[in-house]
Amino acid sequence: MMKREDEIARRRTFGIVSHPDAGKTTLTEKLLLFGGAIQTAGAVKSNKIKKSATSDFMEIEKQRGISVATSVMGFEYNGRMVNILDTPGHKDFAEDTYRTLTAVDSVIVVIDVAKGVEPQTEKLVEVCRMRKTPIIVFINKLDREGKDGFELLDEIETKLGLTTVPMSWPIGMGQDFTGVYNVYEKQLNLFSAHGKQNEDDLVTITELNEDTLLPHMSQRLCDELLESVEMVQEVYPTFERKTYLQGDQSPVFFGSAINNFGVKELLDCFVKIAPSPLPREAGVTLMKPLDDKFSGFVFKIHANIDPRHRDRIAFVRVVSGTFERNTQYNHVRLGRKLKFSNPTTFMASRKETVDMAYPGDIVGLYDSGNFIIGDTLTEGLDIQFKGIPSFSPEQFRYVVNKDPMRSKQLYKGINELIEEGVAQLFIRTMNNRRIIGTVGALQFEVIQYRLQHEYGAQCSYEPLPLHKACWVSCDDKAELEAFRKRRSRDMATDKKGRDVFLAESAWVLNQVQEAHPKVQFHYTSEWE
Ligand code: G4P
């Protein structure tokens, strides 16, 4: 058996983030194929919800099933144990996606060469930057016409705030896409649109010049490549792993996922440079993977697909020690001991019971209501992990109870769904009304549907045009009280009773911030 420290050192736990349609699913699938986790293309894809689908009830059910199945996909590659955590995109984009980012150690960002940096990518990368998560960028769909390479790098630098280091450079694009030149390996990788990439397509070129390049491409592409590579070397920093690991430098690759082009280079580089499991802060204690005692945190909760069974699956990221089956652990928030007889891993839609899991691994625990997002499990330690923040929602609606005879069920249902992290609940101070806030619009329908089917309660919504909900704090208690009074119409409390300011618009938020310089406005709930 491999030693524990070796097991930990070989783990790479990461997420792929992108705007819908950039090619995340396709890339995931190619990676799984390389790792032998799936045998045929289409296995992940066929699981995907059709984009045209309206968010009808069946789709919501299906989605919940699918996202459990693809929550974590693990495989071995070059002796490494790779865990891909699914970060839901599309309309089902929700806080879940953000929270999953707290459970990964690095990310790969996929960008469509034609579309460049898109809004969802901006939001997700912002969260990564906040956490200093190391980022690799994959520019996809080079077999199509798109933006110029330098233009894209500029966009990534300005919109995503990343310092880019091109590791490869594309030769041509769309119709005349000829391949990529790997700047570091000094290798030319030739693209043939039909069939797979094979060894013959790889040409090692130590000296870049017309003589070495012209046998493989036209004069025009040759001139372009020579000029571009010179620019790349002059303008961009050289790759340093340490800087990447600090989140201060992002290597960039070019390729075409659907053609399986550039994917192996990406994966080879990824397993080489990406961080092995990282420590996590628990108050003043830093829990390290090599520590003896087990600790982990819940970053995601999934309700059972079958509404007749109210059990859920809590996803735990192992931070330190080893997690073992049938062993008693502390549920720190409840102050109780719990043990788990069938912890599960999810290997690309295959469920398996695990006996032991290492730092970097994700285990799914069947739960009958003991867990909420952010809960800590430990081997006898009294610590609480921080950093599973709630993010300021962007869509808000008032809840309207449609069946007063079933109020109790409605409120119970709402509270349980909020605990699961489906959305956030605020109570507006001036009228005591419940406000549900979400990051994506589909969540409203999910809540309505689930309240009806799981709790027999009916709700509808009233629109509430708000820009953001920000948590507010102030060292000066009198000042905070004055603020609360002054803005009483815009105040609410969150589920923990903390003060929240409801901003009607970005402009109002700005004005209010200027008028109350001592009050701090937070976009996530974990500012302390
Ligand atoms: P997502 O998970 O990020 O939403 O993207 P997904 O992989 O589903 O890819 C979105 C679309 O882009 C798919 O086409 C996919 O086939 C296509 N695609 C992915 N990689 C490449 C690439 O390298 N080159 C080109 N030309 N297309 C690519 P679709 O028509 O929406 O779906 P499908 O009918 O092909 O499955």
Side-chain angles (χ1 to χ4, degrees):
M1 213 172 94
M2 203 180 276
K3 284 203 300 228
R4 193 169 75 94
E5 52 263 43
D6 295 334
E7 280 290 359
I8 298 170
R10 78 191 190 105
R11 274 165 167 71
R12 299 286 180 275
T13 301
F14 79 108
I16 304 180
V17 307
S18 75
H19 193 84
D21 271 353
K24 184 172 69 121
T25 312
T26 312
L27 180 64
T28 306
E29 188 160 289
K30 301 297 176 190
L31 295 175
L32 294 176
L33 279 169
F34 273 116
I38 53 171
Q39 265 60 51
T40 48
V44 179
K45 189 108 206 162
S46 60
N47 268 344
K48 194 163 133 174
I49 307 153
K50 280 274 161 284
K51 285 156 227 157
S52 58
T54 51
S55 47
D56 62 32
F57 301 149
M58 277 312 290
E59 286 305 324
I60 293 172
E61 282 298 273
K62 221 167 102 191
Q63 174 196 327
R64 286 168 56 204
I66 291 163
S67 39
V68 170
T70 60
S71 277
V72 188
M73 291 160 281
F75 63 87
E76 273 197 57
Y77 182 77
N78 280 356
R80 301 275 203 263
M81 185 64 218
V82 180
N83 290 321
I84 308 181
L85 268 53
D86 188 35
T87 48
H90 293 276
K91 284 184 301 186
D92 50 337
F93 174 64
E95 271 202 75
D96 239 18
T97 312
Y98 287 147
R99 282 191 296 253
T100 300
L101 294 176
T102 63
V104 303
D105 300 306
S106 72
V107 303
I108 294 180
V109 174
V110 183
I111 289 170
D112 182 325
V113 68
K115 303 226 177 95
V117 174
E118 296 174 87
Q120 247 179 53
T121 314
E122 278 185 64
K123 289 190 198 167
L124 292 166
V125 170
E126 200 181 313
V127 175
C128 295
R129 280 213 337 268
M130 247 163 57
R131 306 177 50 82
K132 300 221 130 253
T133 309
I135 298 174
I136 297 180
V137 178
F138 183 73
I139 298 180
N140 190 27
K141 305 197 187 181
L142 265 289
D143 59 314
R144 291 220 186 131
E145 293 300 329
K147 301 188 184 187
D148 165 69
F150 291 108
E151 191 188 329
L152 278 167
L153 294 185
D154 267 359
E155 216 177 295
I156 294 168
E157 301 230 333
T158 49
K159 286 197 185 166
L160 299 182
L162 303 177
T163 302
T164 56
V165 183
M167 304 296 272
S168 65
W169 199 257
I171 305 162
M173 193 182 280
Q175 288 284 339
D176 62 2
F177 181 52
T178 305
V180 293
Y181 181 71
N182 190 317
V183 185
Y184 282 80
E185 309 286 337
K186 300 207 180 313
Q187 264 168 357
L188 183 66
N189 212 341
L190 295 171
F191 176 68
S192 56
H194 309 288
K196 288 205 195 110
Q197 229 181 311
N198 54 46
E199 293 295 314
D200 303 347
D201 295 333
L202 217 56
V203 186
T204 305
I205 295 179
T206 38
E207 285 285 317
L208 262 198
N209 56 45
E210 289 198 350
D211 294 340
T212 53
L213 290 178
L214 278 179
H216 307 288
M217 63 193 72
S218 69
Q219 182 74 46
R220 181 178 62 83
L221 290 179
C222 168
D223 292 345
E224 267 177 29
L225 179 64
L226 287 173
E227 199 181 314
S228 303
V229 171
E230 203 182 308
M231 274 268 276
V232 165
Q233 278 157 353
E234 269 171 29
V235 176
Y236 294 91
T238 41
F239 175 72
E240 277 175 46
R241 181 163 186 239
K242 198 168 144 245
T243 319
Y244 154 74
L245 289 177
Q246 289 165 343
D248 291 331
Q249 207 182 61
S250 291
V252 180
F253 289 86
F254 293 84
S256 167
I258 196 118
N259 291 297
N260 214 357
F261 189 81
V263 177
K264 187 170 179 299
E265 287 70 21
L266 175 72
L267 181 59
D268 284 340
C269 176
F270 169 80
V271 293
K272 225 189 281 172
I273 68 170
S276 50
L278 297 172
R280 294 282 190 286
E281 273 177 48
V284 288
T285 324
L286 189 68
M287 295 307 295
K288 298 190 256 341
L290 288 173
D291 292 350
D292 287 338
K293 296 235 185 291
F294 160 74
S295 67
F297 63 88
V298 176
F299 65 94
K300 173 169 170 154
I301 291 178
H302 250 291
N304 199 313
I305 313 155
D306 182 350
R308 283 164 303 177
H309 303 281
R310 194 56 67 68
D311 59 345
R312 317 157 162 185
I313 299 174
F315 290 84
V316 174
R317 149 100 194 200
V318 181
V319 176
S320 66
T322 43
F323 172 90
E324 286 170 42
R325 193 156 84 97
N326 282 328
T327 305
Q328 290 217 321
Y329 293 121
N330 271 11
H331 185 306
V332 179
R333 183 178 52 89
L334 297 182
R336 274 174 55 193
K337 296 243 182 234
L338 295 176
K339 79 178 176 191
F340 306 92
S341 53
N342 53 350
T344 311
T345 52
F346 301 86
M347 306 279 275
S349 78
R350 226 173 46 239
K351 278 203 283 190
E352 278 171 10
T353 301
V354 280
D355 290 320
M356 190 182 267
Y358 295 97
D361 287 343
I362 310 299
V363 284
L365 304 177
Y366 289 96
D367 168 46
S368 52
N370 288 321
F371 288 115
I372 60 175
I373 304 262
D375 273 349
T376 300
L377 270 187
T378 70
E379 191 177 335
L381 301 168
D382 190 18
I383 53 160
Q384 173 69 45
F385 284 105
K386 65 179 256 178
I388 312 282
S390 296
F391 294 88
S392 170
E394 289 176 10
Q395 312 214 20
F396 302 85
R397 294 185 197 170
Y398 275 127
V399 182
V400 180
N401 183 1
K402 296 262 284 183
D403 182 356
M405 299 300 287
R406 312 239 346 134
S407 305
K408 223 176 103 200
Q409 285 82 352
L410 179 78
Y411 298 132
K412 177 169 185 279
I414 290 178
N415 284 341
E416 290 189 7
L417 295 182
I418 298 301
E419 276 175 15
E420 219 180 89
V422 174
Q424 291 179 55
L425 182 71
F426 304 103
I427 312 267
R428 192 162 197 161
T429 314
M430 97 183 156
N431 54 16
N432 262 329
R433 291 189 68 183
R434 285 176 171 74
I435 297 170
I436 287 181
T438 68
V439 180
L442 181 63
Q443 301 307 317
F444 289 111
E445 281 165 76
V446 173
I447 291 169
Q448 211 169 28
Y449 175 79
R450 291 188 55 188
L451 284 173
Q452 190 182 347
H453 287 252
E454 294 169 32
Y455 298 88
Q458 304 248 1
C459 87
S460 65
Y461 300 109
E462 235 174 67
L464 181 59
L466 288 177
H467 164 66
K468 260 185 194 311
C470 299
W471 287 266
V472 288
S473 67
C474 185
D475 293 336
D476 182 341
K477 291 281 163 280
E479 184 82 20
L480 186 62
E481 193 44 45
F483 175 79
R484 274 199 209 111
K485 275 226 175 76
R486 180 87 220 270
R487 311 295 317 188
S488 60
R489 287 177 48 82
D490 308 314
M491 295 307 291
T493 47
D494 75 357
K495 61 179 182 228
K496 290 188 182 160
R498 292 179 297 190
D499 288 314
V500 173
F501 174 70
L502 307 171
E504 261 170 44
S505 67
W507 186 82
V508 169
L509 182 57
N510 220 334
Q511 293 291 310
V512 172
Q513 279 175 313
E514 275 175 22
H516 302 270
K518 280 195 181 160
V519 177
Q520 287 179 300
F521 295 75
H522 312 275
Y523 292 93
T524 76
S525 64
E526 290 268 326
W527 68 85
E528 289 126 325

